[in-house]
Amino acid sequence: MLVDYQKANIYQKDGILVLKDVDFHVNEGEFIYIIGRVGAGKSTLLKTLYFELDIDEADNAVVLNHDLRAMKQKYIPALRRQMGIIFQDFQLLGDRTVYDNLAFVLKATGWKKKAEIDERIKDVLEEVEMEEFADRYPHELSGGEQQRIAIARAILNKPKVIVADEPTGNLDVETAAHIIRLLRQVTQSGTAVIMTTHNISLLNQYPGIVYRCIDQRLEDITETYNTMALFDDEEQQEQEDQSGVDYSTREDLSI
């Protein structure tokens, strides 16, 4: 098991309790969605997975065979090298080409031989169908292309887990679906993917394990999410009339 939380309490850095009695489990090759309202604790939960936040109160809190309750800071860099992290805003280095962005990560994680670096970069760019963009700068790419590069960066070191915080949040529906297909493809090699999303239509198109953050709790709703009344039709229509935005793929988790 890659992640095993049992009865874990999760706090923000300011000491505010966000989620309590969390049971959360991740095995190799699983594709896991975490949904919930803004501020419900989705991103805070992810931060514990990549060691940005501590967990002190839990019956068990293990990530990659390390107990978070007693883990020493010196182990964190090595553990993060076994993870890929993807953010909604891509976080690419704007003054470097795609190749240099990827090479920077490889060199920072111990790769030294240029031939091996070149080969690995070529391989990951082919995986995300961006091999012709190695010499482009981030500002020359669309949002979807930048996110594909972010995925390439995340899989450089063949991670055991990819943690993705709203990776499709700024993308149109077609591009978002392509990003999800790429992430699901990654799981075929045994890498687990954990992602937060508001895009409920993706859950129906690309099923996975589904957790929901609500009322300081984390619920496994895999068996029930597609039967839930995720919208209040009148409220949704009113929002659309007022804003002109199509909310048909965004969830209202008021239930």
Side-chain angles (χ1 to χ4, degrees):
M1 187 174 291
L2 301 174
V3 178
D4 184 22
Y5 287 2
Q6 298 177 25
K7 302 297 182 185
N9 290 336
I10 296 176
Y11 294 84
Q12 294 176 345
K13 283 188 176 180
D14 57 10
I16 295 175
L17 179 65
V18 177
L19 296 168
K20 59 186 177 183
D21 293 332
V22 168
D23 290 331
F24 182 60
H25 315 287
V26 182
N27 290 299
E28 290 184 1
E30 290 184 334
F31 195 93
I32 297 175
Y33 296 101
I34 302 174
I35 64 176
R37 284 182 176 275
V38 173
K42 303 185 302 297
S43 295
T44 303
L45 174 61
L46 294 191
K47 286 179 180 179
T48 67
L49 298 175
Y50 56 84
F51 319 111
E52 186 73 22
L53 291 174
D54 297 331
I55 293 182
D56 298 316
E57 301 172 0
D59 289 350
N60 203 36
V62 174
V63 176
L64 300 177
N65 295 318
H66 281 71
D67 190 334
L68 302 189
R69 297 168 298 177
M71 189 174 65
K72 296 181 179 179
Q73 291 290 315
K74 65 180 181 180
Y75 296 127
I76 291 178
L79 286 171
R80 282 184 177 157
R81 285 196 287 272
Q82 299 180 53
M83 287 188 169
I85 304 173
I86 302 170
F87 299 98
Q88 181 176 345
D89 58 355
F90 321 127
Q91 295 196 9
L92 300 173
L93 301 173
D95 61 344
R96 306 187 189 202
T97 64
V98 166
Y99 173 90
D100 289 335
N101 266 272
L102 301 179
F104 175 81
V105 173
L106 290 175
K107 291 174 182 177
T109 53
W111 293 60
K112 299 185 184 302
K113 296 182 179 179
K114 186 177 187 305
E116 294 179 355
I117 290 173
D118 288 347
E119 182 178 3
R120 185 58 186 151
I121 290 174
K122 178 176 178 291
D123 287 345
V124 297
L125 288 178
E126 286 179 354
E127 284 192 53
V128 300
E129 303 171 4
M130 292 289 287
E131 58 269 29
E132 297 180 4
F133 293 77
D135 295 326
R136 301 278 187 92
Y137 286 86
H139 71 267
E140 299 177 307
L141 305 176
S142 68
E145 289 166 345
Q146 289 189 62
Q147 195 61 288
R148 279 192 270 171
I149 298 304
I151 292 173
R153 180 181 58 193
I155 64 176
L156 277 170
N157 284 305
K158 299 180 180 179
K160 295 180 179 178
V161 181
I162 287 179
V163 178
D165 196 358
E166 293 281 357
T168 63
N170 291 328
L171 307 178
D172 62 69
V173 173
E174 183 178 348
T175 304
H178 184 65
I179 294 301
I180 298 302
R181 288 195 294 270
L182 288 173
L183 289 173
R184 287 178 68 86
Q185 181 179 315
V186 170
T187 64
Q188 295 176 8
S189 64
T191 298
V193 172
I194 308 163
M195 65 168 281
T196 60
T197 186
H198 283 92
N199 195 330
I200 295 302
S201 67
L202 292 176
L203 278 64
N204 295 319
Q205 288 180 266
Y206 306 101
I209 297 168
V210 183
Y211 286 87
R212 177 173 67 163
C213 295
I214 183 171
D215 296 335
Q216 294 189 319
R217 293 176 288 110
L218 184 70
E219 303 176 333
D220 183 342
I221 60 169
T222 305
E223 302 300 324
T224 58
Y225 77 88
N226 58 354
T227 63
M228 289 181 172
L230 291 175
F231 294 100
D232 180 306
D233 291 338
E234 292 183 1
E235 180 180 349
Q236 177 193 345
Q237 187 62 52
E238 182 180 349
Q239 289 175 330
E240 292 178 7
D241 292 343
Q242 290 176 352
S243 66
V245 176
D246 180 4
Y247 286 89
S248 61
T249 59
R250 312 283 290 187
E251 95 253 47
D252 179 350
L253 296 175
S254 59
I255 59 172

